[in-house]
Amino acid sequence: MDLTRFKGCAEAYGADRRRWPAREHGLYDRFAGTPEGAAILAEAERTDRFLDALEVAGPDEALAQTIARAARPRRRSGAWWQATAFAASAIIGFVLGFAQVHDDGNADVVTQLLLGPTSLREMGL
């Protein structure tokens, strides 16, 4: 269990004891001198050298400006169009629904459809 923890710490903090948290120095001291610990630290040392040799490129100014432009809030110029489309679809739906009513000369049907029941008896009460 401790060797597994030692390996995990070596992978996380590297081979240099100074990079390890103070609470893990005892673990480092216990396993660094063993053959298994030396092999783990050798692998961590190779990884450390590889990472230390990498050079980080500076930020790309064009990319930073593109991100900044994308983050700015945009004005909602199409909101009136959405409201108009909703109102038009509601009116068209009402007209088509009302056109489905067959008027057989009884005007009360049309009135009842538009206004609803006009008395308690029509409501069934």
Side-chain angles (χ1 to χ4, degrees), residues 2-3 6 23-34 37:
D2 285 339
L3 188 60
F6 178 77
R23 68 180 184 277
E24 302 295 348
H25 285 181
L27 182 67
Y28 183 94
D29 294 339
R30 190 173 339 137
F31 286 102
T34 66

Side-chain angles (χ1 to χ4, degrees), residues 2-46:
D2 285 339
L3 188 60
T4 304
R5 182 179 171 108
F6 178 77
K7 183 176 181 181
C9 287
E11 290 172 352
Y13 305 118
D16 188 359
R17 184 179 187 267
R18 293 173 295 179
R19 292 181 182 172
W20 287 47
R23 68 180 184 277
E24 302 295 348
H25 285 181
L27 182 67
Y28 183 94
D29 294 339
R30 190 173 339 137
F31 286 102
T34 66
E36 297 90 1
I40 292 170
L41 289 177
E43 180 64 30
E45 177 67 29
R46 281 192 294 275

Side-chain angles (χ1 to χ4, degrees), residues 98 101-116:
F98 191 71
V101 176
H102 298 291
D103 187 14
D104 56 356
N106 190 356
D108 289 336
V109 172
V110 175
T111 304
Q112 190 172 8
L113 286 172
L114 286 174
L115 303 176

Side-chain angles (χ1 to χ4, degrees), residues 62-124:
L63 178 62
Q65 289 179 2
T66 302
I67 292 171
R69 271 194 309 274
R72 288 188 199 124
R74 297 180 184 169
R75 293 188 322 163
R76 303 220 175 211
S77 60
W80 67 270
W81 178 250
Q82 294 172 350
T84 305
F86 176 75
S89 65
I91 291 170
I92 291 171
F94 177 76
V95 169
L96 290 176
F98 191 71
Q100 300 285 329
V101 176
H102 298 291
D103 187 14
D104 56 356
N106 190 356
D108 289 336
V109 172
V110 175
T111 304
Q112 190 172 8
L113 286 172
L114 286 174
L115 303 176
T118 55
S119 69
L120 293 176
R121 188 177 337 156
E122 289 178 6
M123 291 180 6

